[in-house]
Amino acid sequence: MQLYKKRDFGTFISDSFAFFKVYGKNYFKNFILLNGLLLILMVVVIVLGFREFFGVLFGSNMSGESYYFEQYFTDNLGLFITSGILLFILYTALMTINFLFPVFYMKRIAEGNKEIRTDDILSDFKTNRKKVIKAYFGLSFLVMPVATVLFGFSYFLIIILIGIVLILFVGPTLFNIITFLCYDYFNRDRGFFESLSYAVRAQFSYPNGRENAPYWKYWGSTIVMGILFYIVSGVLSAVPMILFMAKLTTSSPDGEFEQNPMTGGFGIMIFFLYGISSLFSMFLMNVLYINSGLMYYDNRTDLHQKMELEEIETIGFNE
């Protein structure tokens, strides 16, 4: 699959699905092997650390105490702090790996690799370990917090309607900037902030400055993929909530279940289903990562010419 070439809005979408048709089996096998342990640990922390918390949050105060929830939170403050710290570390580590895995995978494809192994991706992480560490801290403590504030501010403005329009533009644009940052940081000999600067500029122009702004096709492709992701992941995450509400409305009231509905086998099943839906959502996010990667290769017009020259040079050898 040729990566370095100009694409239009429709081609981004079709080539994203074509990518998984060609490489999907190998891609997700490596993804699971690389992320499996972190995914399992994160689900375990959520189930063990927060199952009782959500049970009390959803349950009613059957004993009539006005500050039952506040008291429960205070009594288990150490558990919540420990679980929160572990969850933050695991989540940010998983976030970084999820952003960088498609970067290294597509980079190897661009270099001509056919069958990519997990060891190859691990080797890329080790070879670029200093950059990976810088990317982890830059994403976790700078880029993502700023993106969250900007998106949160746009979401807040929904109360005056303009927020709906802002979210439709801010969300996809921020996502593309973050993914472009990751692709550029590990495909060029640049610093973190240099790649961040390029990621912002690349949304609105090509490096040569002589072509029309690519913003609309980048934004359009991302928002279409985002809507598809939202629909599928929304259906998956709705299943455990439907089961919870069905159990709550059909079971005979006995006080114990209503006070803490997350106890026992039913609570474990609900969290297990939420964990499964979260895993599927993480898998589906890779379609967005690859789609954004194709945009990055579209924007690298400097390498389009290089690839075309290399193809011309090989014509004589194939005759």
Side-chain angles (χ1 to χ4, degrees):
M1 186 174 183
Q2 185 179 351
L3 298 181
Y4 291 105
K5 71 175 186 178
K6 290 294 295 295
R7 290 179 168 89
D8 55 27
F9 164 73
T11 310
F12 284 126
I13 297 174
S14 60
D15 280 3
S16 295
F17 290 109
F19 177 92
F20 287 103
K21 185 178 180 180
V22 177
Y23 302 104
K25 184 178 179 180
N26 179 262
Y27 182 94
F28 284 114
K29 182 185 75 173
N30 287 298
F31 180 83
I32 292 172
L33 291 174
L34 192 65
N35 291 275
L37 181 60
L38 283 175
L39 290 170
I40 293 172
L41 286 174
M42 191 167 71
V43 172
V44 168
V45 170
I46 292 174
V47 172
L48 297 182
F50 292 97
R51 182 162 64 95
E52 292 293 328
F53 172 78
F54 284 105
V56 175
L57 181 64
F58 286 123
S60 59
N61 182 12
M62 301 302 293
S63 60
E65 297 178 11
S66 302
Y67 300 99
Y68 180 78
F69 177 76
E70 289 85 348
Q71 181 180 353
Y72 183 88
F73 181 82
T74 303
D75 293 342
N76 297 273
L77 185 60
L79 174 64
F80 293 139
I81 292 176
T82 303
S83 299
I85 293 173
L86 287 174
L87 193 61
F88 174 79
I89 294 173
L90 290 171
Y91 178 78
T92 51
L94 188 63
M95 173 194 70
T96 305
I97 293 175
N98 283 345
F99 275 127
L100 300 186
F101 174 80
V103 172
F104 291 134
Y105 194 94
M106 295 188 79
K107 184 179 179 181
R108 284 192 169 269
I109 290 176
E111 293 170 351
N113 288 270
K114 302 294 183 181
E115 189 72 15
I116 299 172
R117 302 171 301 165
T118 308
D119 289 343
D120 297 329
I121 305 297
L122 285 173
S123 175
D124 290 335
F125 273 95
K126 291 178 182 178
T127 303
N128 297 278
R129 55 184 175 274
K130 290 184 179 180
K131 277 195 167 186
V132 170
I133 293 172
K134 291 179 181 178
Y136 170 80
F137 284 103
L139 289 171
S140 302
F141 299 100
L142 176 63
V143 176
M144 294 306 295
V146 172
T148 301
V149 170
L150 291 175
F151 187 82
F153 178 72
S154 301
Y155 188 82
F156 175 76
L157 291 180
I158 286 180
I159 59 177
I160 57 174
L161 299 181
I162 193 176
I164 298 176
V165 178
L166 284 176
I167 284 179
L168 289 175
F169 287 96
V170 171
T173 303
L174 286 175
F175 178 82
N176 287 339
I177 289 173
I178 294 170
T179 49
F180 267 59
L181 161 65
C182 295
Y183 277 100
D184 193 70
Y185 188 45
F186 289 92
N187 277 277
R188 291 188 187 183
D189 187 19
R190 280 178 165 176
F192 183 85
F193 291 101
E194 288 178 300
S195 291
L196 178 59
S197 175
Y198 163 79
V200 175
R201 289 182 282 106
Q203 305 307 308
F204 307 97
S205 64
Y206 283 101
N208 55 31
R210 296 189 299 270
E211 301 177 67
N212 294 330
Y215 178 80
W216 291 112
K217 65 179 183 179
Y218 292 172
W219 172 82
S221 177
T222 301
I223 201 166
V224 168
M225 287 298 194
I227 290 173
L228 293 174
F229 167 80
Y230 180 80
I231 292 172
V232 176
S233 61
V235 171
L236 292 173
S237 61
V239 172
M241 181 56 68
I242 292 172
L243 292 176
F244 173 77
M245 296 304 298
K247 175 74 173 177
L248 193 63
T249 54
T250 59
S251 60
S252 301
D254 58 3
E256 183 177 350
F257 176 77
E258 286 78 5
Q259 183 171 352
N260 195 342
M262 294 299 172
T263 57
F266 180 76
I268 294 176
M269 182 188 72
I270 290 295
F271 271 93
F272 177 77
L273 290 175
Y274 265 119
I276 295 298
S277 66
S278 298
L279 294 182
F280 273 108
S281 295
M282 289 182 182
F283 292 150
L284 290 172
M285 278 297 294
N286 283 278
V287 180
L288 283 164
Y289 297 145
I290 295 300
N291 182 59
S292 191
L294 294 176
M295 296 177 199
Y296 173 75
Y297 290 112
D298 167 85
N299 198 266
R300 290 294 305 276
T301 51
D302 56 317
L303 292 179
H304 293 182
Q305 299 171 357
K306 179 182 177 182
M307 296 300 293
E308 290 171 358
L309 290 173
E310 289 180 356
E311 289 179 2
I312 293 173
E313 290 176 355
T314 59
I315 292 176
F317 295 101
N318 295 327
E319 293 179 348

